[in-house]
mmCIF file with all atom_site columns, all heavy atoms in Angstrom:
data_model
loop_
_atom_site.group_PDB
_atom_site.id
_atom_site.type_symbol
_atom_site.label_atom_id
_atom_site.label_alt_id
_atom_site.label_comp_id
_atom_site.label_asym_id
_atom_site.label_entity_id
_atom_site.label_seq_id
_atom_site.pdbx_PDB_ins_code
_atom_site.Cartn_x
_atom_site.Cartn_y
_atom_site.Cartn_z
_atom_site.occupancy
_atom_site.B_iso_or_equiv
_atom_site.pdbx_formal_charge
_atom_site.auth_seq_id
_atom_site.auth_comp_id
_atom_site.auth_asym_id
_atom_site.auth_atom_id
_atom_site.pdbx_PDB_model_num
ATOM 1   N N   . GLU A 1 125 ? -11.206 17.057 -37.302 1.00 0.00 ? 125 GLU A N   1
ATOM 2   C CA  . GLU A 1 125 ? -10.420 17.145 -36.062 1.00 0.00 ? 125 GLU A CA  1
ATOM 3   C C   . GLU A 1 125 ? -11.173 16.531 -34.879 1.00 0.00 ? 125 GLU A C   1
ATOM 4   O O   . GLU A 1 125 ? -10.576 15.852 -34.046 1.00 0.00 ? 125 GLU A O   1
ATOM 5   C CB  . GLU A 1 125 ? -10.121 18.611 -35.725 1.00 0.00 ? 125 GLU A CB  1
ATOM 6   C CG  . GLU A 1 125 ? -9.005  19.239 -36.544 1.00 0.00 ? 125 GLU A CG  1
ATOM 7   C CD  . GLU A 1 125 ? -8.881  20.716 -36.195 1.00 0.00 ? 125 GLU A CD  1
ATOM 8   O OE1 . GLU A 1 125 ? -9.710  21.519 -36.681 1.00 0.00 ? 125 GLU A OE1 1
ATOM 9   O OE2 . GLU A 1 125 ? -7.978  21.055 -35.414 1.00 0.00 ? 125 GLU A OE2 1
ATOM 10  N N   . VAL A 1 126 ? -12.479 16.803 -34.817 1.00 0.00 ? 126 VAL A N   1
ATOM 11  C CA  . VAL A 1 126 ? -13.264 16.248 -33.707 1.00 0.00 ? 126 VAL A CA  1
ATOM 12  C C   . VAL A 1 126 ? -13.292 14.723 -33.820 1.00 0.00 ? 126 VAL A C   1
ATOM 13  O O   . VAL A 1 126 ? -13.087 14.005 -32.832 1.00 0.00 ? 126 VAL A O   1
ATOM 14  C CB  . VAL A 1 126 ? -14.705 16.814 -33.694 1.00 0.00 ? 126 VAL A CB  1
ATOM 15  C CG1 . VAL A 1 126 ? -15.494 16.208 -32.530 1.00 0.00 ? 126 VAL A CG1 1
ATOM 16  C CG2 . VAL A 1 126 ? -14.694 18.326 -33.588 1.00 0.00 ? 126 VAL A CG2 1
ATOM 17  N N   . ARG A 1 127 ? -13.505 14.236 -35.032 1.00 0.00 ? 127 ARG A N   1
ATOM 18  C CA  . ARG A 1 127 ? -13.550 12.783 -35.229 1.00 0.00 ? 127 ARG A CA  1
ATOM 19  C C   . ARG A 1 127 ? -12.220 12.136 -34.800 1.00 0.00 ? 127 ARG A C   1
ATOM 20  O O   . ARG A 1 127 ? -12.213 11.098 -34.151 1.00 0.00 ? 127 ARG A O   1
ATOM 21  C CB  . ARG A 1 127 ? -13.845 12.448 -36.693 1.00 0.00 ? 127 ARG A CB  1
ATOM 22  C CG  . ARG A 1 127 ? -15.300 12.689 -37.091 1.00 0.00 ? 127 ARG A CG  1
ATOM 23  C CD  . ARG A 1 127 ? -15.577 12.177 -38.509 1.00 0.00 ? 127 ARG A CD  1
ATOM 24  N NE  . ARG A 1 127 ? -16.973 12.358 -38.896 1.00 0.00 ? 127 ARG A NE  1
ATOM 25  C CZ  . ARG A 1 127 ? -17.957 11.515 -38.574 1.00 0.00 ? 127 ARG A CZ  1
ATOM 26  N NH1 . ARG A 1 127 ? -17.706 10.425 -37.864 1.00 0.00 ? 127 ARG A NH1 1
ATOM 27  N NH2 . ARG A 1 127 ? -19.196 11.753 -38.952 1.00 0.00 ? 127 ARG A NH2 1
ATOM 28  N N   . GLU A 1 128 ? -11.134 12.761 -35.177 1.00 0.00 ? 128 GLU A N   1
ATOM 29  C CA  . GLU A 1 128 ? -9.821  12.227 -34.823 1.00 0.00 ? 128 GLU A CA  1
ATOM 30  C C   . GLU A 1 128 ? -9.606  12.263 -33.296 1.00 0.00 ? 128 GLU A C   1
ATOM 31  O O   . GLU A 1 128 ? -9.160  11.293 -32.698 1.00 0.00 ? 128 GLU A O   1
ATOM 32  C CB  . GLU A 1 128 ? -8.744  13.054 -35.546 1.00 0.00 ? 128 GLU A CB  1
ATOM 33  C CG  . GLU A 1 128 ? -7.318  12.573 -35.352 1.00 0.00 ? 128 GLU A CG  1
ATOM 34  C CD  . GLU A 1 128 ? -7.067  11.179 -35.908 1.00 0.00 ? 128 GLU A CD  1
ATOM 35  O OE1 . GLU A 1 128 ? -7.730  10.805 -36.898 1.00 0.00 ? 128 GLU A OE1 1
ATOM 36  O OE2 . GLU A 1 128 ? -6.217  10.457 -35.331 1.00 0.00 ? 128 GLU A OE2 1
ATOM 37  N N   . ALA A 1 129 ? -9.991  13.393 -32.704 1.00 0.00 ? 129 ALA A N   1
ATOM 38  C CA  . ALA A 1 129 ? -9.747  13.576 -31.268 1.00 0.00 ? 129 ALA A CA  1
ATOM 39  C C   . ALA A 1 129 ? -10.576 12.626 -30.412 1.00 0.00 ? 129 ALA A C   1
ATOM 40  O O   . ALA A 1 129 ? -10.166 12.247 -29.317 1.00 0.00 ? 129 ALA A O   1
ATOM 41  C CB  . ALA A 1 129 ? -10.048 15.021 -30.874 1.00 0.00 ? 129 ALA A CB  1
ATOM 42  N N   . LEU A 1 130 ? -11.739 12.223 -30.912 1.00 0.00 ? 130 LEU A N   1
ATOM 43  C CA  . LEU A 1 130 ? -12.623 11.360 -30.121 1.00 0.00 ? 130 LEU A CA  1
ATOM 44  C C   . LEU A 1 130 ? -12.526 9.894  -30.545 1.00 0.00 ? 130 LEU A C   1
ATOM 45  O O   . LEU A 1 130 ? -13.286 9.050  -30.059 1.00 0.00 ? 130 LEU A O   1
ATOM 46  C CB  . LEU A 1 130 ? -14.078 11.841 -30.240 1.00 0.00 ? 130 LEU A CB  1
ATOM 47  C CG  . LEU A 1 130 ? -14.361 13.271 -29.762 1.00 0.00 ? 130 LEU A CG  1
ATOM 48  C CD1 . LEU A 1 130 ? -15.855 13.572 -29.857 1.00 0.00 ? 130 LEU A CD1 1
ATOM 49  C CD2 . LEU A 1 130 ? -13.877 13.501 -28.334 1.00 0.00 ? 130 LEU A CD2 1
ATOM 50  N N   . ALA A 1 131 ? -11.596 9.573  -31.418 1.00 0.00 ? 131 ALA A N   1
ATOM 51  C CA  . ALA A 1 131 ? -11.526 8.211  -31.957 1.00 0.00 ? 131 ALA A CA  1
ATOM 52  C C   . ALA A 1 131 ? -11.151 7.173  -30.904 1.00 0.00 ? 131 ALA A C   1
ATOM 53  O O   . ALA A 1 131 ? -11.349 5.975  -31.101 1.00 0.00 ? 131 ALA A O   1
ATOM 54  C CB  . ALA A 1 131 ? -10.554 8.146  -33.131 1.00 0.00 ? 131 ALA A CB  1
ATOM 55  N N   . GLY A 1 132 ? -10.652 7.618  -29.764 1.00 0.00 ? 132 GLY A N   1
ATOM 56  C CA  . GLY A 1 132 ? -10.342 6.685  -28.679 1.00 0.00 ? 132 GLY A CA  1
ATOM 57  C C   . GLY A 1 132 ? -11.482 6.524  -27.685 1.00 0.00 ? 132 GLY A C   1
ATOM 58  O O   . GLY A 1 132 ? -11.315 5.890  -26.648 1.00 0.00 ? 132 GLY A O   1
ATOM 59  N N   . ASN A 1 133 ? -12.616 7.131  -27.999 1.00 0.00 ? 133 ASN A N   1
ATOM 60  C CA  . ASN A 1 133 ? -13.780 7.035  -27.108 1.00 0.00 ? 133 ASN A CA  1
ATOM 61  C C   . ASN A 1 133 ? -14.940 6.427  -27.875 1.00 0.00 ? 133 ASN A C   1
ATOM 62  O O   . ASN A 1 133 ? -15.513 7.059  -28.769 1.00 0.00 ? 133 ASN A O   1
ATOM 63  C CB  . ASN A 1 133 ? -14.164 8.426  -26.591 1.00 0.00 ? 133 ASN A CB  1
ATOM 64  C CG  . ASN A 1 133 ? -13.119 8.977  -25.648 1.00 0.00 ? 133 ASN A CG  1
ATOM 65  O OD1 . ASN A 1 133 ? -12.042 9.387  -26.074 1.00 0.00 ? 133 ASN A OD1 1
ATOM 66  N ND2 . ASN A 1 133 ? -13.403 8.948  -24.368 1.00 0.00 ? 133 ASN A ND2 1
ATOM 67  N N   . LEU A 1 134 ? -15.282 5.198  -27.541 1.00 0.00 ? 134 LEU A N   1
ATOM 68  C CA  . LEU A 1 134 ? -16.326 4.502  -28.285 1.00 0.00 ? 134 LEU A CA  1
ATOM 69  C C   . LEU A 1 134 ? -17.711 4.850  -27.761 1.00 0.00 ? 134 LEU A C   1
ATOM 70  O O   . LEU A 1 134 ? -17.930 4.907  -26.555 1.00 0.00 ? 134 LEU A O   1
ATOM 71  C CB  . LEU A 1 134 ? -16.120 2.986  -28.195 1.00 0.00 ? 134 LEU A CB  1
ATOM 72  C CG  . LEU A 1 134 ? -14.815 2.459  -28.794 1.00 0.00 ? 134 LEU A CG  1
ATOM 73  C CD1 . LEU A 1 134 ? -14.712 0.948  -28.583 1.00 0.00 ? 134 LEU A CD1 1
ATOM 74  C CD2 . LEU A 1 134 ? -14.740 2.794  -30.277 1.00 0.00 ? 134 LEU A CD2 1
ATOM 75  N N   . CYS A 1 135 ? -18.629 5.078  -28.703 1.00 0.00 ? 135 CYS A N   1
ATOM 76  C CA  . CYS A 1 135 ? -20.034 5.274  -28.363 1.00 0.00 ? 135 CYS A CA  1
ATOM 77  C C   . CYS A 1 135 ? -20.827 4.306  -29.219 1.00 0.00 ? 135 CYS A C   1
ATOM 78  O O   . CYS A 1 135 ? -20.651 4.279  -30.438 1.00 0.00 ? 135 CYS A O   1
ATOM 79  C CB  . CYS A 1 135 ? -20.472 6.714  -28.645 1.00 0.00 ? 135 CYS A CB  1
ATOM 80  S SG  . CYS A 1 135 ? -22.257 6.918  -28.511 1.00 0.00 ? 135 CYS A SG  1
ATOM 81  N N   . ARG A 1 136 ? -21.689 3.522  -28.601 1.00 0.00 ? 136 ARG A N   1
ATOM 82  C CA  . ARG A 1 136 ? -22.471 2.548  -29.359 1.00 0.00 ? 136 ARG A CA  1
ATOM 83  C C   . ARG A 1 136 ? -23.866 3.077  -29.665 1.00 0.00 ? 136 ARG A C   1
ATOM 84  O O   . ARG A 1 136 ? -24.607 2.441  -30.394 1.00 0.00 ? 136 ARG A O   1
ATOM 85  C CB  . ARG A 1 136 ? -22.553 1.260  -28.549 1.00 0.00 ? 136 ARG A CB  1
ATOM 86  C CG  . ARG A 1 136 ? -23.054 0.031  -29.312 1.00 0.00 ? 136 ARG A CG  1
ATOM 87  C CD  . ARG A 1 136 ? -22.218 -0.330 -30.517 1.00 0.00 ? 136 ARG A CD  1
ATOM 88  N NE  . ARG A 1 136 ? -22.336 -1.750 -30.858 1.00 0.00 ? 136 ARG A NE  1
ATOM 89  C CZ  . ARG A 1 136 ? -21.864 -2.284 -31.974 1.00 0.00 ? 136 ARG A CZ  1
ATOM 90  N NH1 . ARG A 1 136 ? -21.240 -1.532 -32.868 1.00 0.00 ? 136 ARG A NH1 1
ATOM 91  N NH2 . ARG A 1 136 ? -21.984 -3.576 -32.203 1.00 0.00 ? 136 ARG A NH2 1
ATOM 92  N N   . CYS A 1 137 ? -24.243 4.229  -29.094 1.00 0.00 ? 137 CYS A N   1
ATOM 93  C CA  . CYS A 1 137 ? -25.620 4.712  -29.250 1.00 0.00 ? 137 CYS A CA  1
ATOM 94  C C   . CYS A 1 137 ? -25.802 5.728  -30.365 1.00 0.00 ? 137 CYS A C   1
ATOM 95  O O   . CYS A 1 137 ? -26.806 5.717  -31.053 1.00 0.00 ? 137 CYS A O   1
ATOM 96  C CB  . CYS A 1 137 ? -26.106 5.371  -27.963 1.00 0.00 ? 137 CYS A CB  1
ATOM 97  S SG  . CYS A 1 137 ? -26.311 4.285  -26.562 1.00 0.00 ? 137 CYS A SG  1
ATOM 98  N N   . THR A 1 138 ? -24.873 6.655  -30.509 1.00 0.00 ? 138 THR A N   1
ATOM 99  C CA  . THR A 1 138 ? -25.187 7.869  -31.281 1.00 0.00 ? 138 THR A CA  1
ATOM 100 C C   . THR A 1 138 ? -24.741 7.872  -32.730 1.00 0.00 ? 138 THR A C   1
ATOM 101 O O   . THR A 1 138 ? -25.211 8.699  -33.511 1.00 0.00 ? 138 THR A O   1
ATOM 102 C CB  . THR A 1 138 ? -24.506 9.108  -30.656 1.00 0.00 ? 138 THR A CB  1
ATOM 103 O OG1 . THR A 1 138 ? -23.072 8.902  -30.731 1.00 0.00 ? 138 THR A OG1 1
ATOM 104 C CG2 . THR A 1 138 ? -24.922 9.307  -29.213 1.00 0.00 ? 138 THR A CG2 1
ATOM 105 N N   . GLY A 1 139 ? -23.786 7.023  -33.100 1.00 0.00 ? 139 GLY A N   1
ATOM 106 C CA  . GLY A 1 139 ? -23.210 7.153  -34.436 1.00 0.00 ? 139 GLY A CA  1
ATOM 107 C C   . GLY A 1 139 ? -22.329 8.396  -34.546 1.00 0.00 ? 139 GLY A C   1
ATOM 108 O O   . GLY A 1 139 ? -21.922 8.778  -35.630 1.00 0.00 ? 139 GLY A O   1
ATOM 109 N N   . TYR A 1 140 ? -22.095 9.044  -33.395 1.00 0.00 ? 140 TYR A N   1
ATOM 110 C CA  . TYR A 1 140 ? -21.150 10.175 -33.220 1.00 0.00 ? 140 TYR A CA  1
ATOM 111 C C   . TYR A 1 140 ? -21.628 11.523 -33.760 1.00 0.00 ? 140 TYR A C   1
ATOM 112 O O   . TYR A 1 140 ? -21.051 12.553 -33.426 1.00 0.00 ? 140 TYR A O   1
ATOM 113 C CB  . TYR A 1 140 ? -19.766 9.856  -33.813 1.00 0.00 ? 140 TYR A CB  1
ATOM 114 C CG  . TYR A 1 140 ? -19.165 8.579  -33.276 1.00 0.00 ? 140 TYR A CG  1
ATOM 115 C CD1 . TYR A 1 140 ? -19.153 7.410  -34.042 1.00 0.00 ? 140 TYR A CD1 1
ATOM 116 C CD2 . TYR A 1 140 ? -18.647 8.517  -31.989 1.00 0.00 ? 140 TYR A CD2 1
ATOM 117 C CE1 . TYR A 1 140 ? -18.618 6.227  -33.543 1.00 0.00 ? 140 TYR A CE1 1
ATOM 118 C CE2 . TYR A 1 140 ? -18.109 7.334  -31.483 1.00 0.00 ? 140 TYR A CE2 1
ATOM 119 C CZ  . TYR A 1 140 ? -18.093 6.192  -32.270 1.00 0.00 ? 140 TYR A CZ  1
ATOM 120 O OH  . TYR A 1 140 ? -17.573 5.021  -31.781 1.00 0.00 ? 140 TYR A OH  1
ATOM 121 N N   . MET A 1 141 ? -22.655 11.556 -34.606 1.00 0.00 ? 141 MET A N   1
ATOM 122 C CA  . MET A 1 141 ? -23.044 12.824 -35.229 1.00 0.00 ? 141 MET A CA  1
ATOM 123 C C   . MET A 1 141 ? -23.393 13.890 -34.186 1.00 0.00 ? 141 MET A C   1
ATOM 124 O O   . MET A 1 141 ? -22.937 15.030 -34.267 1.00 0.00 ? 141 MET A O   1
ATOM 125 C CB  . MET A 1 141 ? -24.243 12.605 -36.161 1.00 0.00 ? 141 MET A CB  1
ATOM 126 C CG  . MET A 1 141 ? -23.987 11.660 -37.320 1.00 0.00 ? 141 MET A CG  1
ATOM 127 S SD  . MET A 1 141 ? -22.807 12.320 -38.511 1.00 0.00 ? 141 MET A SD  1
ATOM 128 C CE  . MET A 1 141 ? -23.759 13.656 -39.223 1.00 0.00 ? 141 MET A CE  1
ATOM 129 N N   . LYS A 1 142 ? -24.222 13.490 -33.221 1.00 0.00 ? 142 LYS A N   1
ATOM 130 C CA  . LYS A 1 142 ? -24.705 14.474 -32.248 1.00 0.00 ? 142 LYS A CA  1
ATOM 131 C C   . LYS A 1 142 ? -23.591 14.872 -31.256 1.00 0.00 ? 142 LYS A C   1
ATOM 132 O O   . LYS A 1 142 ? -23.608 15.958 -30.694 1.00 0.00 ? 142 LYS A O   1
ATOM 133 C CB  . LYS A 1 142 ? -25.895 13.901 -31.478 1.00 0.00 ? 142 LYS A CB  1
ATOM 134 C CG  . LYS A 1 142 ? -27.026 13.410 -32.393 1.00 0.00 ? 142 LYS A CG  1
ATOM 135 C CD  . LYS A 1 142 ? -28.114 14.448 -32.519 1.00 0.00 ? 142 LYS A CD  1
ATOM 136 C CE  . LYS A 1 142 ? -29.230 14.016 -33.431 1.00 0.00 ? 142 LYS A CE  1
ATOM 137 N NZ  . LYS A 1 142 ? -28.968 14.397 -34.848 1.00 0.00 ? 142 LYS A NZ  1
ATOM 138 N N   . ILE A 1 143 ? -22.650 13.972 -31.072 1.00 0.00 ? 143 ILE A N   1
ATOM 139 C CA  . ILE A 1 143 ? -21.512 14.295 -30.204 1.00 0.00 ? 143 ILE A CA  1
ATOM 140 C C   . ILE A 1 143 ? -20.643 15.361 -30.885 1.00 0.00 ? 143 ILE A C   1
ATOM 141 O O   . ILE A 1 143 ? -20.224 16.335 -30.257 1.00 0.00 ? 143 ILE A O   1
ATOM 142 C CB  . ILE A 1 143 ? -20.696 13.020 -29.898 1.00 0.00 ? 143 ILE A CB  1
ATOM 143 C CG1 . ILE A 1 143 ? -21.526 12.091 -29.007 1.00 0.00 ? 143 ILE A CG1 1
ATOM 144 C CG2 . ILE A 1 143 ? -19.351 13.364 -29.246 1.00 0.00 ? 143 ILE A CG2 1
ATOM 145 C CD1 . ILE A 1 143 ? -20.904 10.731 -28.738 1.00 0.00 ? 143 ILE A CD1 1
ATOM 146 N N   . ILE A 1 144 ? -20.416 15.179 -32.174 1.00 0.00 ? 144 ILE A N   1
ATOM 147 C CA  . ILE A 1 144 ? -19.624 16.160 -32.933 1.00 0.00 ? 144 ILE A CA  1
ATOM 148 C C   . ILE A 1 144 ? -20.316 17.525 -32.911 1.00 0.00 ? 144 ILE A C   1
ATOM 149 O O   . ILE A 1 144 ? -19.680 18.555 -32.667 1.00 0.00 ? 144 ILE A O   1
ATOM 150 C CB  . ILE A 1 144 ? -19.405 15.660 -34.379 1.00 0.00 ? 144 ILE A CB  1
ATOM 151 C CG1 . ILE A 1 144 ? -18.586 14.355 -34.361 1.00 0.00 ? 144 ILE A CG1 1
ATOM 152 C CG2 . ILE A 1 144 ? -18.709 16.732 -35.230 1.00 0.00 ? 144 ILE A CG2 1
ATOM 153 C CD1 . ILE A 1 144 ? -18.604 13.584 -35.676 1.00 0.00 ? 144 ILE A CD1 1
ATOM 154 N N   . ASP A 1 145 ? -21.643 17.520 -33.118 1.00 0.00 ? 145 ASP A N   1
ATOM 155 C CA  . ASP A 1 145 ? -22.415 18.776 -33.047 1.00 0.00 ? 145 ASP A CA  1
ATOM 156 C C   . ASP A 1 145 ? -22.199 19.448 -31.696 1.00 0.00 ? 145 ASP A C   1
ATOM 157 O O   . ASP A 1 145 ? -21.989 20.662 -31.619 1.00 0.00 ? 145 ASP A O   1
ATOM 158 C CB  . ASP A 1 145 ? -23.922 18.501 -33.179 1.00 0.00 ? 145 ASP A CB  1
ATOM 159 C CG  . ASP A 1 145 ? -24.334 18.064 -34.580 1.00 0.00 ? 145 ASP A CG  1
ATOM 160 O OD1 . ASP A 1 145 ? -23.495 18.172 -35.502 1.00 0.00 ? 145 ASP A OD1 1
ATOM 161 O OD2 . ASP A 1 145 ? -25.481 17.597 -34.745 1.00 0.00 ? 145 ASP A OD2 1
ATOM 162 N N   . ALA A 1 146 ? -22.277 18.652 -30.643 1.00 0.00 ? 146 ALA A N   1
ATOM 163 C CA  . ALA A 1 146 ? -22.172 19.204 -29.282 1.00 0.00 ? 146 ALA A CA  1
ATOM 164 C C   . ALA A 1 146 ? -20.789 19.817 -29.049 1.00 0.00 ? 146 ALA A C   1
ATOM 165 O O   . ALA A 1 146 ? -20.665 20.916 -28.506 1.00 0.00 ? 146 ALA A O   1
ATOM 166 C CB  . ALA A 1 146 ? -22.455 18.119 -28.248 1.00 0.00 ? 146 ALA A CB  1
ATOM 167 N N   . VAL A 1 147 ? -19.751 19.118 -29.488 1.00 0.00 ? 147 VAL A N   1
ATOM 168 C CA  . VAL A 1 147 ? -18.382 19.601 -29.262 1.00 0.00 ? 147 VAL A CA  1
ATOM 169 C C   . VAL A 1 147 ? -18.152 20.912 -30.022 1.00 0.00 ? 147 VAL A C   1
ATOM 170 O O   . VAL A 1 147 ? -17.602 21.873 -29.480 1.00 0.00 ? 147 VAL A O   1
ATOM 171 C CB  . VAL A 1 147 ? -17.354 18.530 -29.685 1.00 0.00 ? 147 VAL A CB  1
ATOM 172 C CG1 . VAL A 1 147 ? -15.932 19.082 -29.583 1.00 0.00 ? 147 VAL A CG1 1
ATOM 173 C CG2 . VAL A 1 147 ? -17.489 17.279 -28.815 1.00 0.00 ? 147 VAL A CG2 1
ATOM 174 N N   . GLN A 1 148 ? -18.607 20.948 -31.272 1.00 0.00 ? 148 GLN A N   1
ATOM 175 C CA  . GLN A 1 148 ? -18.396 22.173 -32.054 1.00 0.00 ? 148 GLN A CA  1
ATOM 176 C C   . GLN A 1 148 ? -19.198 23.342 -31.494 1.00 0.00 ? 148 GLN A C   1
ATOM 177 O O   . GLN A 1 148 ? -18.721 24.479 -31.464 1.00 0.00 ? 148 GLN A O   1
ATOM 178 C CB  . GLN A 1 148 ? -18.720 21.913 -33.529 1.00 0.00 ? 148 GLN A CB  1
ATOM 179 C CG  . GLN A 1 148 ? -17.656 21.009 -34.179 1.00 0.00 ? 148 GLN A CG  1
ATOM 180 C CD  . GLN A 1 148 ? -17.922 20.699 -35.632 1.00 0.00 ? 148 GLN A CD  1
ATOM 181 O OE1 . GLN A 1 148 ? -19.083 20.570 -36.024 1.00 0.00 ? 148 GLN A OE1 1
ATOM 182 N NE2 . GLN A 1 148 ? -16.876 20.554 -36.427 1.00 0.00 ? 148 GLN A NE2 1
#
Side-chain angles (χ1 to χ4, degrees):
Chain A
E125 282 176 282
V126 180
R127 286 187 178 277
E128 184 63 30
L130 300 184
N133 292 74
L134 298 178
C135 170
R136 193 59 155 170
C137 293
T138 63
Y140 306 104
M141 298 293 291
K142 305 262 179 271
I143 291 174
I144 297 165
D145 290 349
V147 174
Q148 289 179 326

